[in-house]
Amino acid sequence: MTFESFSEFLTMGKHGFYIWLSYGCTLVILLALGINSMRQPKVQLEKIRQRLKREQQLKAYQQKKAEGQNQQQTSTDSGEVV
Amino acid sequence: MWKWLHPYANPEVAYHFTGKLIPWFNIIAALLLVVGMFMGLAYSPADYQQGETVRIFYIHVPAAILSMGLYFSMAIAGFCALVWQLKLAHAAIAAIAPIGAAFTAIALITGAAWGKPMWGTWWIWDARLTSELILLFLYLGVIALGNAFDDKNQGAKAVSVLALVGVVNLPIIHYSVEWWNTLHQGATVTKFAAPSMAMSMYIPFVICFFGFAFLAGSLICKRFQGQVLARNSLRPWVKKMALAEEH
């Protein structure tokens, strides 16, 4: 051990501020980067899932619309017959 | 070798392969960083000239070496992307760029915090510092250009070219301390000859360096996985995975 006491370790001679500033900034940057990176696959899967859901809803809506038009058409057809 | 390497060009195989690497990288990085930081902060001696500030060395230099090494690996990916049109190489570029940018920022910030007590200034527009700042802008450029395209595959070519062209900056950074007069000290550990420093400082440095390197590797793998998913979102295996996680 280079340091006699814990307070000596914290003050680091007279340059404690600069040393802890460096280590602190590094920790903050790496933590932010780490959390952001670790979430990446989940974030992307969530995006894909939402897109798939939207596509499904759109498909269901179009199907419904198409069915509605068919029904209308058949009703007007029958009207002409009468 | 090509036969052995070939299956890894399949996105699904690459996704699962990197998934297997991540926990190992994390364990190795955590072990090395805990030991290295402890040795660097408390066990290694103070420098006879710089006093305790030399402890910044244990993050500053690994971060600076990684910032250049990661850029080089990104450029290799860019080369592969341009020559062989590998989609996975595009994903690799997008995965490496943010990690490299973070390490460049760390190198610059710790350098400033080291410069203030030693040189009397946080920042000076000399060759080494300026070229490292340009490296940060190159990383940010690669990230921004990649995000500028909604269709990721469309922008991949431009991103690859930018990554490749930026390699010019790497020798400039490395030799800047020799070509120009600068406050920054010359190379100590990245010389081909034996490193010019005491073993009691060199060993914690090496441990810290590999700790940061494995951490970078793990984070790159994770981002790579995300990129692979985003770029293969129409594939059945990705759709299945997306829908399986719904609960």
Side-chain angles (χ1 to χ4, degrees):
Chain A
M1 280 293 189
T2 343
F3 299 101
E4 306 260 309
S5 69
F6 190 68
S7 66
E8 209 174 302
F9 173 68
L10 284 182
T11 48
M12 289 266 168
K14 53 186 183 209
H15 299 307
F17 170 71
Y18 300 107
I19 295 168
W20 293 119
L21 178 72
S22 307
Y23 279 81
C25 285
T26 307
L27 189 71
V28 169
I29 291 175
L30 286 182
L31 270 182
L33 181 77
I35 292 168
N36 180 274
S37 301
M38 287 300 174
R39 285 180 56 232
Q40 278 302 309
K42 263 190 192 160
V43 169
Q44 299 297 346
L45 280 180
E46 179 62 34
K47 272 188 195 165
I48 295 166
R49 180 159 53 240
Q50 274 172 359
R51 205 202 63 217
L52 287 176
K53 254 188 195 162
R54 255 200 324 274
E55 277 172 9
Q56 251 171 6
Q57 282 170 345
L58 198 69
K59 222 186 220 169
Y61 172 72
Q62 277 170 343
Q63 219 167 20
K64 222 166 136 188
K65 209 169 138 189
E67 276 171 16
Q69 270 181 347
N70 278 346
Q71 266 181 354
Q72 241 179 14
Q73 229 161 26
T74 47
S75 65
T76 48
D77 282 353
S78 56
E80 273 175 10
V81 169
V82 171
Chain B
M1 192 188 99
W2 293 115
K3 239 183 189 168
W4 172 81
L5 213 53
H6 186 250
Y8 290 102
N10 176 334
E12 192 177 358
V13 176
Y15 178 90
H16 292 297
F17 176 67
T18 44
K20 274 182 206 149
L21 289 181
I22 290 167
W24 294 105
F25 281 12
N26 279 342
I27 293 170
I28 297 171
L31 277 177
L32 290 179
L33 281 177
V34 167
V35 174
M37 289 287 131
F38 177 74
M39 284 178 87
L41 273 174
Y43 222 75
S44 70
D47 188 66
Y48 79 103
Q49 265 187 330
Q50 310 201 347
E52 307 288 354
T53 51
V54 77
R55 300 186 195 286
I56 296 174
F57 167 83
Y58 302 114
I59 26 183
H60 176 72
V61 179
I65 296 175
L66 279 173
S67 73
M68 294 167 71
L70 289 176
Y71 196 94
F72 192 65
S73 56
M74 192 173 78
I76 293 174
F79 183 78
C80 295
L82 282 177
V83 175
W84 294 291
Q85 318 228 324
L86 288 172
K87 291 247 166 74
L88 284 180
H90 301 158
I93 297 173
I96 295 171
I99 316 287
F103 277 104
T104 313
I106 290 173
L108 285 168
I109 291 170
T110 55
W114 199 357
K116 183 63 185 162
M118 288 301 107
W119 302 339
T121 176
W122 294 99
W123 183 262
I124 177 177
W125 290 102
D126 87 335
R128 171 57 74 83
L129 279 67
T130 309
S131 54
E132 182 78 6
L133 186 66
I134 290 172
L135 185 72
L136 179 64
F137 291 154
L138 280 169
Y139 274 125
L140 296 181
V142 168
I143 297 170
L145 192 58
N147 288 338
F149 293 85
D150 276 337
D151 178 11
K152 298 225 183 231
N153 292 323
Q154 208 183 1
K157 201 172 178 185
V159 173
S160 311
V161 172
L162 178 60
L164 209 50
V165 169
V167 167
V168 182
N169 195 26
L170 292 184
I172 296 179
I173 296 175
H174 185 77
Y175 291 108
S176 57
V177 285
E178 291 173 26
W179 292 345
W180 293 285
N181 276 323
T182 165
L183 280 179
H184 200 284
Q185 65 187 74
T188 40
V189 289
T190 51
K191 293 195 299 195
F192 288 112
S196 46
M197 65 188 316
M199 268 301 151
S200 55
M201 291 180 177
Y202 189 63
I203 289 169
F205 158 74
V206 170
I207 294 174
C208 282
F209 172 75
F210 282 105
F212 282 123
F214 275 103
L215 178 66
S218 154
L219 297 182
I220 287 170
C221 284
K222 211 66 183 173
R223 293 197 95 93
F224 178 76
Q225 285 192 315
Q227 289 294 330
V228 169
L229 290 176
R231 282 151 204 269
N232 294 278
S233 57
L234 297 176
R235 307 269 169 193
W237 68 274
V238 178
K239 284 185 182 173
K240 210 170 124 193
M241 204 179 282
L243 294 173
E245 268 196 19
E246 192 150 18
H247 327 289

